[in-house]
């Protein structure tokens, strides 16, 4: 075998190796995904059939299909945030069980805190008013009719 033939054979072997490596790289990377990982992502999504349940908890066929999509995307190597974003892009933010903490939906998160603070402030103001009223009005001695007072004094002096 000549040097030229050996170089040609080596180049061919390298070309085959590169082609095999490129083919392996072109395949979607598959990684092992646990049930807990699927559940964690599915728990963030609302079931489009049940609407009060998460995709993780819903027994509907649609939720089962959505869990399968979650699993496929996670196995393909997508991070959980992108999987959730896939469903948000398809269904809108309505699909999220917890609305994002920005924009108009920030009111959903802030309203309970504001309501509790307003309630505590109202309770403090009312408590201060009630306690102030008691101190401002000391008990006045009862007014006794002078004739009655004299009669009581005489009966006490006369004895039994």
């Amino acid at each position: 075998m000549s040097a030229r033939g050996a170089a040609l054979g080596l180049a061919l072997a390298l070309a085959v190796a590169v082609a095999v490596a490129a083919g392996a790289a072109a395949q979607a990377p598959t990684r092992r995904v646990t049930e807990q990982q699927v559940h964690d992502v599915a728990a963030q999504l609302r079931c489009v059939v049940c609407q009060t349940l998460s995709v993780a908890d819903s027994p509907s066929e649609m939720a089962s299909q959505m869990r399968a999509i979650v699993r496929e995307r996670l196995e393909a190597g997508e991070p959980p945030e992108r999987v959730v974003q896939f469903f948000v892009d398809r269904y809108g933010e309505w699909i999220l069980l917890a609305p994002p903490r920005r924009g108009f939906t920030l009111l959903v998160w802030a309203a309970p805190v504001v309501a509790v603070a307003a309630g505590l402030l109202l309770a403090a103001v009312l408590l201060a008013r009630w306690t102030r009223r008691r101190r401002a009005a000391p008990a006045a001695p009862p007014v006794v009719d002078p004739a009655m007072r004299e009669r009581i004094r005489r009966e006490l002096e006369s004895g039994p």
Side-chain angles (χ1 to χ4, degrees):
M1 178 180 255
S2 70
R4 185 171 182 192
L8 185 62
L10 182 62
L12 186 60
L14 276 174
V16 169
V18 168
V20 169
Q27 290 181 348
T30 303
R31 67 180 193 149
R32 187 169 172 81
V33 176
T34 65
E35 277 301 315
Q36 184 62 40
Q37 290 170 316
V38 173
H39 182 272
D40 290 347
V41 173
Q44 299 174 37
L45 303 172
R46 180 187 317 268
C47 175
V48 294
V49 175
C50 302
Q51 297 190 3
T52 56
L53 295 175
S54 71
V55 169
D57 299 330
S58 175
S60 73
E61 181 62 30
M62 182 70 171
S64 176
Q65 292 173 359
M66 290 173 77
R67 284 191 298 270
I69 291 171
V70 167
R71 175 176 294 285
E72 287 174 9
R73 291 190 165 263
L74 289 174
E75 285 175 348
E78 287 188 28
E81 298 82 22
R82 283 192 52 199
V83 175
V84 170
Q85 188 60 43
F86 167 78
F87 286 101
V88 169
D89 292 343
R90 178 171 273 183
Y91 296 102
E93 288 186 346
W94 172 87
I95 199 76
L96 298 174
L97 278 178
R101 295 179 181 165
R102 59 176 156 61
F104 182 72
T105 55
L106 186 61
L107 288 175
V108 174
W109 293 99
V113 174
V114 170
V116 168
L120 288 174
L121 181 66
L122 179 66
V125 167
L126 288 176
L127 237 133
R129 291 177 93 189
W130 291 336
T131 56
R132 192 177 322 135
R133 189 178 298 156
R134 286 187 182 162
R135 280 188 242 137
V143 178
V144 181
D145 182 30
M148 180 62 83
R149 181 179 292 160
E150 182 60 29
R151 181 176 167 199
I152 292 172
R153 187 188 59 78
R154 274 186 278 140
E155 286 182 10
L156 287 174
E157 286 177 358
S158 67

